[in-house]
Amino acid sequence: MLPNTVKSIVFTLGTALTAFMAPGAVLAETAGAALTREAQAAITPAKALEMLKQGNERFVTGKAIERDYLAQVKQTSKGQFPFAAVVSCLDSRIPPAIVFDRGIGDLFVARVAGNFVNDDILGSLEFATRLAGAKLIVVMGHTECGAVKGACDAAQLGLLTATLANINPAVKAVQGDYKPRSSENAEFVQAVAEMNVLVTMQTLRDRSVVLREMIDKGEIGLVGAMYDVSSGMVIFHE
């Protein structure tokens, strides 16, 4: 009979070894630990995208990693080393860290109704990448977007009017015989939501010299994505 302490050590080592040997597994991922500076530095833009894809697959299939969030609070209290930044909509049904099965300290997230970028968000993304080391920027729209519907209808409401105006370029860019060109037409709304992701990605490149240079040098990646509120699945547009 092994002493309990020895049993514990054997079990822990066995679990870790199994996780390490599994195809595509990352030990820190399996353990649910927060990223370190060294782990962040080793992640490429392509690897960062793959980590998000794998995380969303775990989320959709109900196989999310079990995490000790209080432990992660302590691990990240002296520093953070996120591997990606996500620009997403304000919509309450789309919490990026959850749908990508990530923990505390893994992602920078900028949220605004309609997932567009302005100078404040672009400056934040410059911090996230150039200064804080994130390797990937994801611009993520979603189905059934209320902000997009509002823009399609040219809705007017206080300061929200100016917010929705940021989506107007996408509304105008959608071509085709959509009738009506309003929120009553689900296909038109979806087309605008997808176009808005592309317009936002182009705006990011056009307005941020820092981000454009990093993208062109391959230091960071930029991808678009659409989240399906009915399935939880994220489709990437690389």
Side-chain angles (χ1 to χ4, degrees), residues 35 37 42 52 58 69 74 86 92 129 145 204 219:
L35 289 174
R37 186 188 303 276
L52 293 181
R58 292 194 301 269
Y69 290 109
K74 295 178 181 178
V86 181
S92 65
T129 53
C145 181
L204 182 150
E219 296 172 350

Side-chain angles (χ1 to χ4, degrees), residues 142-173:
H142 67 96
T143 60
E144 299 295 330
C145 181
V148 168
K149 291 179 180 179
C152 291
D153 293 340
Q156 304 288 308
L157 176 63
L159 296 176
L160 179 61
T161 303
T163 300
L164 296 182
N166 290 280
I167 309 174
N168 287 343
V171 177
K172 296 176 181 178

Side-chain angles (χ1 to χ4, degrees), residues 7-207:
K7 288 182 179 179
S8 177
I9 293 172
V10 170
F11 175 79
T12 301
L13 290 175
T15 302
L17 183 60
T18 300
F20 181 77
M21 296 176 64
V26 178
L27 189 57
E29 291 271 284
T30 305
L35 289 174
T36 63
R37 186 188 303 276
E38 293 73 22
Q40 181 201 53
I43 296 171
T44 64
K47 175 59 179 175
L49 177 58
E50 185 60 28
M51 289 167 69
L52 293 181
K53 288 180 177 180
Q54 292 175 357
N56 182 243
E57 182 178 358
R58 292 194 301 269
F59 171 70
V60 172
T61 57
K63 299 178 181 178
I65 294 172
E66 184 175 346
R67 291 181 167 83
D68 185 339
Y69 290 109
L70 289 180
Q72 289 187 340
V73 168
K74 295 178 181 178
Q75 291 166 7
T76 58
S77 63
K78 301 300 182 181
Q80 58 172 336
F81 308 101
F83 68 90
V86 181
V87 178
S88 72
C89 187
L90 185 70
D91 196 297
S92 65
R93 297 168 292 181
I94 312 164
I98 294 177
V99 304
F100 288 123
D101 187 28
R102 305 309 316 179
I104 294 172
D106 284 347
L107 301 177
F108 285 112
V109 179
R111 304 190 67 174
V112 64
N115 47 270
F116 60 86
V117 290
N118 57 18
D119 288 351
D120 295 321
I121 293 176
L122 290 173
S124 298
L125 293 174
E126 290 175 355
F127 164 78
T129 53
R130 175 59 66 83
L131 298 182
K135 303 299 181 63
L136 179 71
I137 297 175
V138 180
V139 177
M140 185 167 68
H142 67 96
T143 60
E144 299 295 330
C145 181
V148 168
K149 291 179 180 179
C152 291
D153 293 340
Q156 304 288 308
L157 176 63
L159 296 176
L160 179 61
T161 303
T163 300
L164 296 182
N166 290 280
I167 309 174
N168 287 343
V171 177
K172 296 176 181 178
V174 171
Q175 304 297 312
D177 189 26
Y178 291 97
K179 295 181 179 178
R181 290 175 65 91
S182 72
S183 63
E184 296 179 5
N185 187 334
E187 291 185 358
F188 179 62
V189 171
Q190 181 66 15
V192 173
E194 293 176 357
M195 179 63 72
N196 187 47
V197 170
L198 299 178
V199 169
T200 299
M201 293 171 67
Q202 188 61 49
T203 301
L204 182 150
R205 288 186 57 90
D206 290 344
R207 290 175 61 175

